[in-house]
């Protein structure tokens, strides 16, 4: 009888009669033992068994959480997942219907495909150019902080539109990765998130199955966020606020509310106005315009205002040969005495600090005399630090050891 070796097996595996190859495993073993001793069978079968066991163990370990998935979801969840999608961008905590979904920094939302083990981006091969689609997930999906899930679990958390409504996401929902990286296109929500239990959504992305039918690539999900109706966008706060933002963009100051009206009536209409008042007269700001505000609310407003980007614009105030340089909210950033080298505040002596304080109080009382500086027109070496965003310059300040000059300056300042 001719003997046939099973396809793909090692050359040292036991031959199985062709007529017997459809027998059960136990019957096949009995058949082989009739022709070979048990010792010979074990000697030749052991390497084959070791290889099979090793391959299976490696496959299971590669999936990390296969045991949990197998017990909970069945064999489908245990398929090897050597790759996964990731949403690299952080989304804002609040989005609005009709507005493009963007990252917290205002850039497009970035998606990448990575090796599940090394977390390195797959930049070449078929996987690097897969097609993926964006969809909406329940905000509760992932609140247990589990970073792995089965396909059934992911699909069960997909949120569809309410009956009679438009599709929940509108726009360019399908994109192609390039070199393993892609940006979500012009997509936006058509409905708010108030109608589901969690009151929040997540963005999910998954591979379109037709572009990769043989492998399951783990889907990705974003952080949870609230989606509000676009009509509320005109009332939302800005993070961080801009200098020219209306004052009600700050925390705890409601649009057309009592504090908004008090501040506006007092000439404090923008965030810059608020910050300047905070620098020049913080006590007056609190007592005159925000006296009914709790300490906690006041701190929240101040902290939010202080996250504002101040820019590089410089202002100056000069009195009796002493030149103050101020930033956009009138904080002092440098001082020059009688045309000498301009100094940063941490370079001043105690005597210079006294002089600076006198002139500063005069500046705050006469803010109309604080004027903007065109840094490009400054030719004096003492002002050259402006081009370096307030960086310190070399050289020393005016020598104030001359008691006669110091006394004269004090007398002058007392007349201010």
């Amino acid at each position: 009888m001719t003997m046939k070796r099973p396809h793909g097996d090692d050359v040292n595996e036991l031959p199985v009669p062709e007529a017997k190859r459809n027998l059960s495993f136990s019957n096949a073993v009995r058949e082989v033992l009739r022709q070979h001793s048990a010792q010979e069978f074990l000697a030749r079968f052991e390497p084959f068994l070791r290889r099979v066991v090793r391959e299976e163990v490696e496959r299971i370990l590669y999936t990390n959480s296969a045991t949990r998935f197998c017990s909970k979801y069945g064999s489908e969840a245990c398929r090897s997942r050597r790759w996964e999608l990731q949403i690299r961008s952080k989304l804002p905590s609040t989005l609005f219907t009709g507005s493009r979904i963007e990252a917290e920094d205002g850039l497009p939302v970035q998606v990448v495909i990575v090796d599940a083990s090394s977390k390195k981006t797959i930049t070449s091969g078929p996987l690097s150019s897969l097609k993926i689609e964006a969809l909406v997930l329940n905000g509760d999906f992932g609140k247990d902080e589990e970073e792995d899930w089965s396909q059934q679990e992911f699909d069960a958390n997909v949120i569809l539109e309410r009956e009679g409504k438009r599709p929940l996401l509108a726009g360019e929902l399908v994109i192609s990765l390039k070199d393993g990286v892609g940006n979500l296109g012009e997509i936006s929500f058509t409905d708010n998130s108030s109608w589901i239990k969690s009151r929040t959504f997540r963005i999910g992305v998954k591979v379109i199955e037709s572009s990769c039918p043989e492998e399951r690539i783990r889907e990705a999900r974003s952080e949870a966020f609230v989606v509000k109706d676009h009509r509320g966008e005109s009332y939302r706060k800005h993070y961080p606020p801009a200098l020219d933002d209306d004052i009600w963009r700050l925390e705890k100051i409601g649009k057309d509310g009592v504090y908004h009206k008090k501040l506006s009536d007092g000439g404090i209409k923008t965030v810059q106005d608020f910050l300047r008042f905070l620098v020049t007269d913080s006590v007056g700001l609190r007592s005159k315009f925000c006296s009914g505000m709790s300490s906690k609310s006041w701190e929240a407003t101040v902290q939010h205002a202080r996250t504002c980007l101040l820019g590089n614009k410089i202002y100056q105030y000069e009195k009796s040969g002493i030149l103050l340089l101020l930033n956009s909210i009138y904080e002092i950033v440098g001082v020059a005495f009688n045309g000498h080298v301009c100094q940063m505040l941490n370079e001043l002596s105690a005597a210079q600090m006294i002089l600076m304080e006198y002139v500063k109080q005069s500046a705050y009382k006469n803010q109309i005399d604080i004027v903007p500086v065109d840094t490009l027109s400054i030719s004096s070496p003492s002002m050259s630090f402006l081009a370096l965003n307030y960086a310190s310059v070399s050289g020393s300040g005016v020598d104030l050891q001359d008691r006669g000059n110091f006394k004269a300056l004090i007398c002058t300042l007392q007349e201010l």
Side-chain angles (χ1 to χ4, degrees), residues 45-116:
F45 184 71
E46 184 180 7
F48 167 75
L49 187 60
R50 286 180 179 274
R51 177 173 62 83
V52 172
V53 172
R54 183 178 65 252
E55 290 177 352
E56 287 300 303
V57 170
E58 289 176 351
R59 183 181 66 82
I60 293 173
L61 290 177
Y62 201 89
T63 61
N64 297 323
S65 303
T67 301
R68 179 173 65 86
F69 286 152
C70 285
S71 61
K72 187 174 182 179
Y73 300 107
S75 60
E76 184 279 330
C78 295
R79 283 192 291 165
S80 176
R81 296 184 295 165
R82 291 177 286 175
W83 303 282
E84 60 186 44
L85 295 174
Q86 289 185 352
I87 295 178
R88 288 280 173 87
S89 306
K90 181 177 176 57
L91 273 67
S93 59
T94 302
L95 297 175
F96 293 88
T97 59
S99 297
R100 179 178 178 173
I101 298 174
E102 295 178 331
E104 199 171 47
D105 55 10
L107 297 176
V109 178
Q110 187 181 79
V111 181
V112 299
I113 183 169
V114 301
D115 182 287

Side-chain angles (χ1 to χ4, degrees), residues 1-63:
M1 179 180 294
T2 60
M3 309 296 287
K4 185 172 183 179
R5 196 180 304 277
H7 177 70
D9 286 350
D10 293 340
V11 295
N12 64 340
E13 291 175 7
L14 294 173
V16 180
E18 185 172 5
K20 304 287 188 179
R21 66 178 183 270
N22 291 326
L23 294 176
S24 67
F25 180 76
S26 59
N27 289 336
V29 171
R30 293 192 187 95
E31 181 65 26
V32 173
L33 287 175
R34 291 194 187 98
Q35 304 176 35
H36 305 275
S37 67
Q39 185 176 3
E40 182 182 7
F41 171 77
L42 291 175
R44 302 181 69 179
F45 184 71
E46 184 180 7
F48 167 75
L49 187 60
R50 286 180 179 274
R51 177 173 62 83
V52 172
V53 172
R54 183 178 65 252
E55 290 177 352
E56 287 300 303
V57 170
E58 289 176 351
R59 183 181 66 82
I60 293 173
L61 290 177
Y62 201 89
T63 61

Side-chain angles (χ1 to χ4, degrees), residues 292-310:
M293 188 180 288
S294 69
S295 297
K296 185 176 181 180
S297 295
W298 169 252
E299 285 300 319
T301 302
V302 171
Q303 288 180 14
H304 186 202
R306 284 175 174 164
T307 64
C308 181
L309 300 178
L310 303 182

Side-chain angles (χ1 to χ4, degrees), residues 240-258:
L243 286 172
D244 58 356
D245 273 347
D246 289 327
I247 189 64
W248 56 264
R249 295 288 186 183
L250 294 179
E251 288 284 357
K252 308 304 180 182
I253 300 178
K255 187 176 182 180
D256 298 326
V258 59

Side-chain angles (χ1 to χ4, degrees), residues 291-349:
S291 57
M293 188 180 288
S294 69
S295 297
K296 185 176 181 180
S297 295
W298 169 252
E299 285 300 319
T301 302
V302 171
Q303 288 180 14
H304 186 202
R306 284 175 174 164
T307 64
C308 181
L309 300 178
L310 303 182
N312 295 324
K313 194 167 185 179
I314 300 296
Y315 295 79
Q316 70 176 30
Y317 178 83
E318 187 172 9
K319 195 76 171 178
S320 302
I322 300 178
L323 177 69
L324 301 183
L325 296 176
L326 309 97
N327 63 15
S328 57
I329 60 172
Y330 295 166
E331 292 174 322
I332 297 178
V333 295
V335 187
F337 296 89
N338 293 324
H340 287 261
V341 175
C342 186
Q343 295 175 267
M344 305 300 287
L345 299 189
N346 59 2
E347 299 173 344
L348 299 181
S349 66

